[in-house]
Amino acid sequence: MTIFVIQILNSFFYAAVLFLIAAGLSLIYGVMRIVNLAHGALYALGAYVSAWIVGSAVGHALEGNLGLAGMLLLLPLGAVAIAAVGALIEPALLRPLYRRSEEYHLLVTFGLLMILEDVMKLLFGRTPLSAGEIMDRMGSIPVGRLMYPSYNLFVVAVGIAAAIGLWAFIYRTKFGVILRATSQDRRMAAALGINVSRVYVQAFAIGCFMAGLGGAVVVPAQAAVLGLGIEVLILAFVVVVIGGLGSLQGALVGALIVSFVRTAGIQFFPEIELAVLYLIAAAVLLVRPTGMFGRA
């Protein structure tokens, strides 16, 4: 029974991380109709930057003064840095391609993925970076006869807060109305006086912030290594295929499905764990080609 409870907690932990990544991917597609293949690299870059800030730079220098709360406050700085990178990428690389076919978007974002992988290798080298001191300081809680990391529950709380905050931002604010109007009809939004270029920059930056936040919260539990973003990008695409690309609700439900299936797969049938996820995605596409909550 204890193992079962721990597996459920692990599923919620991984679902929170997957939701942060998939929500950013869905937001970018929903507003801009761009499938961002570099999203996983932005997640990995967020992990590297957060680990560097906490572990290699400010964290070690001010560890005695900051304490646990200060180190936790440093983690989102990696996500803020990725949002700034996204605000530069959109006008420089993506804006000239909006009137072109989707193949150009895929090629540019795939090229950006390769560039970011080399940039991480250049800046941080091949040595893994971690902010594991945060996880150590938070300690563990008893679950039956075993101990479970308290930090994992913190990540679940961050995922819940991000889901509520992003929903409120999109559906309960004036900018959210502008965002949804732009996503539905760009030309009409521009005719009504909306600065579409500014909306696109902000939407892409928010999507990148979500990817960076996913990397920031995972790095105390998992070291940032080269290639970190490739695997998570594949899983994020499985999430949005199941839930529906462009749907926030679909990103949440898809993240829960993928996380629980993957956790059970690793435990009971590790040889075909990824195959099961792909079969689920294929089955959803056969029934609903736009995903569970996607729109044509």
Side-chain angles (χ1 to χ4, degrees):
M1 185 63 181
T2 301
I3 298 297
F4 179 70
V5 173
I6 286 179
Q7 293 297 342
I8 291 177
L9 292 175
N10 284 337
S11 297
F12 280 119
F13 165 76
Y14 202 66
V17 177
L18 277 180
F19 168 75
L20 292 174
I21 304 164
L25 191 64
S26 287
L27 177 65
I28 291 171
Y29 178 81
V31 176
M32 305 166 65
R33 293 297 183 268
I34 288 179
V35 179
N36 183 18
L37 294 181
H39 206 68
L42 292 168
Y43 158 83
L45 186 58
Y48 266 109
V49 173
S50 294
W52 178 75
I53 291 174
V54 174
S56 300
V58 184
H60 284 168
L62 302 177
E63 186 176 351
N65 298 325
L66 282 177
L68 176 61
M71 298 176 77
L72 288 173
L73 290 174
L74 288 176
L75 277 180
L77 294 181
V80 173
I82 303 308
V85 170
L88 295 175
I89 289 174
E90 191 278 333
L93 296 179
L94 299 179
R95 190 173 299 174
L97 303 177
Y98 289 144
R99 299 184 183 276
R100 300 198 178 190
S101 61
E102 294 179 355
E103 290 82 357
Y104 288 93
H105 304 160
L106 294 174
L107 286 172
V108 168
T109 54
F110 180 75
L112 181 60
L113 166 66
M114 298 291 102
I115 292 171
L116 289 176
E117 287 289 330
D118 284 342
V119 167
M120 285 183 279
K121 190 185 302 182
L122 175 67
L123 293 178
F124 304 106
R126 298 179 180 272
T127 304
L129 295 182
S130 175
E133 56 268 22
I134 293 178
M135 195 168 187
D136 295 337
R137 287 194 176 200
M138 291 194 73
S140 302
I141 60 171
V143 178
R145 292 172 296 176
L146 301 176
M147 303 298 290
Y148 190 77
S150 300
Y151 181 76
N152 287 15
L153 300 180
F154 172 77
V155 173
V156 174
V158 170
I160 294 172
I164 296 172
L166 194 58
W167 177 85
F169 179 73
I170 293 176
Y171 293 102
R172 291 292 184 269
T173 65
K174 180 180 178 181
F175 180 75
V177 173
I178 294 173
L179 202 66
R180 286 181 283 132
T182 305
S183 68
Q184 292 174 8
D185 194 326
R186 176 185 177 181
R187 292 183 179 178
M188 181 61 71
L192 292 173
I194 295 174
N195 189 333
V196 174
S197 296
R198 181 185 298 175
V199 172
Y200 275 16
V201 171
Q202 293 169 330
F204 194 79
I206 294 170
C208 292
F209 175 85
M210 296 297 289
L213 184 60
V217 299
V218 83
V219 79
Q222 177 183 352
V225 296
L226 293 176
L228 175 67
I230 303 299
E231 178 186 359
V232 79
L233 177 65
I234 295 172
L235 292 174
F237 272 113
V238 174
V239 168
V240 296
V241 165
I242 293 173
L245 195 56
S247 168
L248 181 62
Q249 184 179 3
L252 179 59
V253 174
L256 288 169
I257 292 173
V258 169
S259 180
F260 273 85
V261 171
R262 189 167 187 265
T263 301
I266 292 174
Q267 180 72 24
F268 299 109
F269 38 89
E271 296 84 0
I272 58 171
E273 162 239 331
L274 283 178
V276 172
L277 291 176
Y278 296 146
L279 287 173
I280 293 173
V284 170
L285 288 177
L286 286 174
V287 178
R288 280 188 64 88
T290 58
M292 295 173 65
F293 298 95
R295 292 183 301 224

